[in-house]
Amino acid sequence: MNEQLVSMITQLVMEKMGGSTKADAPKNTVTPSEKSKETLSKLDETADNVAHEMPTAAPNDTLIKLYNHASHTQQQSYEPSFGEPADRIAPITTFQFEDDNVSESVQAARKHTPARIGVGRAGTRPKTKTWLKFRLDHAAAVDAVYGEVTDNLLKQLNVFQVTTRVTDKEEYITRPDLGRRLSDESKALIQAKCQNNPQVQIIISNGLSASAIEANIQDVYLALQQSLSNLNIDIGTTFYIDKGRVALMDEIGELLQAEVVVYLIGERPGLVSAESMSAYLCYKPRFGTVEADRMVISNIHKGGIPPLEAGAYLGTVVEKILQYKASGVGLVAKES
């Protein structure tokens, strides 16, 4: 507000309060003195000038505009404290998230691992993009575990399907032992449809990732078939096992008396990839086979070992197993 107007009002109020506190003051003291009259006259004149300068509006609008005008004037006339020149005051900058640029060492590490390193943060929390990617990868992992391989894919591979003693996915997760044994109906079906005493018996299972089979099995299986055919190695009748475990290859080896079993199975999904497949190999797997006798080629997916390359390499490993009549630790010992 106008400082002169405030000063006049304050002076007038003080004079009236001072005159009314005298106990023996005559009644005609209520009448303003000549000085008070002069103050009132100046006050009226100032108010008229303010009203003349402002546009016609409602009383409340006038007060609001007068207040805003005074506040704006105060902001414009603000000077730096302590006599500091205005050009030395640090400019006000808007908040920015952590810079995406990272050190050279972190950039080098990123080239060798898909792990979440150098992703940055916003305060104490991960960035929105990083958090959403994490949630997406977690959802993909859950879908991989609870998903199923499509019938269309099995038809393309020309394989039949058998089951284990597992009844549903929850039981498969909580009872691994049931996933290591075939159902009675499946055993009868395998004996009826499969070749006995094959050199190589190939089996396929979704395991813990149906997505891995859907994404990789065609390239791996066809490349493996071609590789074994070129090496003149006999292949038995391939079939698909729903909800199978790795040790199930022991029962199949016992059932068909296969010389080598190659088990293509979906692996437990992680937050980097939900499509990783592995190939387990064993020479004459039977009940009681120890884990040291098994071999595994893992991390088969587009971000790891390329599926076509993995299939071709598996053929050379099978050839070596047949040559040395051993697998796992036993094969390493004989090779050395």
Side-chain angles (χ1 to χ4, degrees), residues 296-310:
V296 60
I297 310 299
S298 61
N299 202 35
I300 302 172
H301 61 93
K302 61 184 178 181
I305 302 175
L308 287 173
E309 181 180 331

Side-chain angles (χ1 to χ4, degrees), residues 121-153:
R121 62 182 183 180
T124 59
R125 299 175 179 269
K127 293 183 179 180
T128 301
K129 181 173 68 175
T130 303
W131 175 244
L132 292 178
K133 182 65 168 58
F134 175 85
R135 294 291 301 275
L136 177 64
D137 291 341
H138 181 265
V142 173
D143 290 343
V145 173
Y146 285 90
E148 298 292 346
V149 174
T150 61
D151 293 335
N152 185 46
L153 177 60

Side-chain angles (χ1 to χ4, degrees), residues 38-303:
E38 182 180 354
T39 302
L40 286 173
S41 177
K42 292 181 179 180
L43 180 62
D44 293 339
E45 182 179 354
T46 303
D48 291 340
N49 292 336
V50 172
H52 179 72
E53 292 176 359
M54 297 188 63
T56 303
N60 290 339
D61 292 341
T62 303
L63 290 175
I64 292 173
K65 290 179 180 179
L66 181 61
Y67 173 78
N68 290 338
H69 175 74
S71 300
H72 181 67
T73 304
Q74 290 177 0
Q75 291 176 0
Q76 289 181 339
S77 60
Y78 174 77
E79 294 294 336
S81 59
F82 306 108
E84 183 180 5
D87 58 350
R88 294 185 182 178
I89 299 177
I92 299 176
T93 57
T94 58
F95 175 78
Q96 295 181 349
F97 290 108
E98 184 177 310
D99 194 357
D100 289 333
N101 296 328
V102 294
S103 64
E104 293 183 1
S105 60
V106 174
Q107 292 180 14
R110 282 178 171 177
K111 296 178 181 179
H112 300 282
T113 176
R116 289 171 169 79
I117 58 175
V119 295
R121 62 182 183 180
T124 59
R125 299 175 179 269
K127 293 183 179 180
T128 301
K129 181 173 68 175
T130 303
W131 175 244
L132 292 178
K133 182 65 168 58
F134 175 85
R135 294 291 301 275
L136 177 64
D137 291 341
H138 181 265
V142 173
D143 290 343
V145 173
Y146 285 90
E148 298 292 346
V149 174
T150 61
D151 293 335
N152 185 46
L153 177 60
L154 300 181
K155 290 179 181 178
Q156 291 177 5
L157 296 175
N158 192 27
V159 296
F160 66 93
Q161 178 175 332
V162 298
T163 60
T164 61
R165 296 183 181 181
V166 173
T167 57
D168 54 36
K169 189 67 72 172
E170 295 297 332
E171 187 175 52
Y172 173 72
I173 295 173
T174 58
R175 292 289 305 275
D177 57 310
L178 297 180
R180 299 187 184 111
R181 300 300 300 270
L182 292 166
S183 64
D184 294 336
E185 296 82 1
S186 295
K187 285 192 289 186
L189 186 61
I190 290 172
Q191 288 177 325
K193 287 192 172 185
C194 291
Q195 172 187 340
N196 288 323
N197 304 108
Q199 276 188 293
V200 178
Q201 176 63 52
I202 302 174
I203 52 179
I204 304 168
S205 178
N206 51 359
L208 284 168
S209 177
S211 300
I213 301 300
E214 289 279 347
N216 306 298
I217 191 59
Q218 284 185 300
D219 289 340
V220 174
Y221 179 56
L222 295 178
L224 175 58
Q225 278 186 316
Q226 184 64 44
S227 179
L228 294 176
S229 177
N230 293 340
L231 295 170
N232 296 319
I233 296 175
D234 178 49
I235 306 173
T237 308
T238 305
F239 57 91
Y240 172 78
I241 307 170
D242 183 40
K243 303 178 184 66
R245 295 281 181 174
V246 173
L248 184 59
M249 66 195 310
D250 298 346
E251 184 175 7
I252 294 170
E254 190 84 41
L255 195 64
L256 298 177
Q257 295 296 304
E259 199 167 350
V260 177
V261 173
V262 179
Y263 197 171
L264 307 175
I265 188 170
E267 287 287 14
R268 180 182 293 106
L271 293 174
V272 171
S273 175
E275 298 179 350
S276 181
M277 192 181 80
S278 290
Y280 288 85
L281 304 94
C282 189
Y283 178 73
K284 290 186 176 181
R286 303 292 188 265
F287 288 125
T289 297
V290 296
E291 296 302 315
D293 290 336
R294 306 189 204 279
M295 304 176 65
V296 60
I297 310 299
S298 61
N299 202 35
I300 302 172
H301 61 93
K302 61 184 178 181

Side-chain angles (χ1 to χ4, degrees), residues 18-29:
S20 60
T21 53
K22 296 180 181 179
D24 55 345
K27 293 182 180 180
N28 58 1
T29 56

Side-chain angles (χ1 to χ4, degrees), residues 1-18:
M1 297 179 65
N2 192 298
E3 295 182 0
Q4 185 180 3
L5 180 60
V6 174
S7 177
M8 290 181 180
I9 293 174
T10 304
Q11 183 179 357
L12 177 60
V13 172
M14 292 299 294
E15 289 180 359
K16 286 187 172 291
M17 290 178 62

